[in-house]
Amino acid sequence: MDTETMILGKTFSNQSLSLSFEEKDSVSFQARNTLYVLKGKSKYEIDNGKIIIKSPYGKRLKPDETTDCYILSFINSLKNDRIDDATFSIISPYEREQFFGDEISLFLE
């Protein structure tokens, strides 16, 4: 089974982060263990069995430019029923909050 088939239409989550792979190149995210609920959509690509989500802006924005929540970076290792070793940065609107994860696992719901 190829990587795209493994994730398309599926949701992976843990107690603090949820990723739903809704389309071939689009993922929605929600971070729950934060003061504000951080949620949004982003584009992803698959490279050698790894899911890579990059900033849609190509860089980190200044706080006054950050009007939407976005994933600054997300890199991991994909297994059959989980995403392992996920390291990520999520930035809230106006940088009221930043949410970071290092080597976490997300499990197939």
Side-chain angles (χ1 to χ4, degrees), residues 19-22 25-29 40-44 53:
L19 297 176
S20 296
F21 295 89
E22 300 164 341
D25 66 348
S26 179
V27 60
S28 64
F29 61 90
K41 279 188 144 186
S42 201
K43 298 288 184 188
Y44 72 90
I53 305 171

Side-chain angles (χ1 to χ4, degrees), residues 50-61:
K50 294 184 183 291
I51 302 165
I52 299 170
I53 305 171
K54 296 180 183 176
S55 168
Y57 309 105
K59 63 178 182 172
R60 184 168 187 159
L61 299 175

